[in-house]
Amino acid sequence: MRIRIVFSAALAALGLMFLLPVAAHAHGDTVKVVVTGQREGHVTADVTWENDGDAVEEAVAATVNAVSVDGSHTMGPWRLVRDTAAAPAGWTTAEALPPGSWKVSVDVGFPSLGHGDLEVAVPVVDPAPVTPTPVASAPAPVPSAAAPVASSASASAPAASSAQGTTEPAADTEGYAVWWTTAGVAVTAVAGAAVGLLLRRRRRVRLDRLN
């Protein structure tokens, strides 16, 4: 009984040993690398199994090299990292190419061999326009209280002078009125006294005639 159990386990282990390579080669023995371009200078590429086109789910060991079109500058080697902003097959670089035209090549060594290349143009990004900071305008001068006071004082000066000009004749008129009133009373008193004396004289004359 024990022998059967040990023999069955050995067969199962042997079967797994043969099945693992079969599963590993189910996608094929090469990967397809398609350099898709760049995003803000970062090289982008799709890595799939060449046999069925499935995305490579395993870790990918790959190097990225770039040479300027005129051959004067080289960038890399950089490694590919998974591009979380793209499809499952998307990969990119953490480094970014400077503006210009570049011949980019990607070489994959694991989990299988693969190669891809493309000429990539990285445009010059204009800096964001700087919005001028609004300058606070100087506050309008507040008229001081002295100006209205001065104007009112200057305005009141003619008014006072005009008032004085009008009151002085009024005072003279009142003086004339008092003088004429006094003169009238005096004339009336004198006239009254004269009439009284005249009446007394006539009375005396009558009395003298009667006597």
Side-chain angles (χ1 to χ4, degrees), residues 156-173:
S156 62
S161 61
S162 61
Q164 291 176 359
T166 55
T167 53
E168 288 177 0
D172 295 340
T173 304

Side-chain angles (χ1 to χ4, degrees), residues 2-211:
R2 292 180 178 177
I3 295 175
R4 289 181 180 179
I5 294 174
V6 173
F7 184 72
S8 298
L11 288 178
L14 185 62
L16 289 175
M17 291 177 63
F18 283 103
L19 287 176
L20 286 176
V22 173
H25 291 283
H27 294 291
D29 55 357
T30 57
V31 294
K32 181 180 180 180
V33 181
V34 177
V35 180
T36 56
Q38 60 84 31
R39 184 173 63 248
E40 297 180 355
H42 301 272
V43 178
T44 57
D46 288 341
V47 181
T48 58
W49 291 104
E50 189 173 14
N51 187 33
D52 53 15
D54 290 344
V56 177
E57 298 178 355
E58 297 88 340
V60 171
T63 56
V64 180
N65 293 277
V67 181
S68 61
V69 175
D70 59 3
S72 60
H73 296 82
T74 59
M75 304 295 290
W78 298 334
R79 68 185 186 91
L80 282 180
V81 295
R82 194 171 293 277
D83 190 355
T84 56
W91 296 78
T92 185
T93 57
E95 299 83 2
L97 292 171
S101 296
W102 301 87
K103 295 179 180 179
V104 177
S105 62
V106 177
D107 292 288
V108 179
F110 182 85
S112 293
L113 299 179
H115 174 80
D117 52 32
L118 181 70
E119 184 173 326
V120 175
V122 181
V124 177
V125 179
D126 294 332
V130 178
T131 303
T133 304
V135 179
S137 59
V142 179
S144 60
V149 171
S151 60
S152 61
S154 61
S156 62
S161 61
S162 61
Q164 291 176 359
T166 55
T167 53
E168 288 177 0
D172 295 340
T173 304
E174 290 179 359
Y176 289 123
V178 171
W179 185 83
W180 281 108
T181 302
T182 305
V185 171
V187 172
T188 303
V190 172
V195 172
L197 291 175
L198 182 59
L199 291 176
R200 287 179 182 179
R201 287 180 181 179
R202 288 182 179 180
R203 186 175 182 183
R204 287 178 182 178
V205 172
R206 287 180 183 176
L207 290 176
D208 290 340
R209 288 179 180 178
L210 290 177
N211 293 330

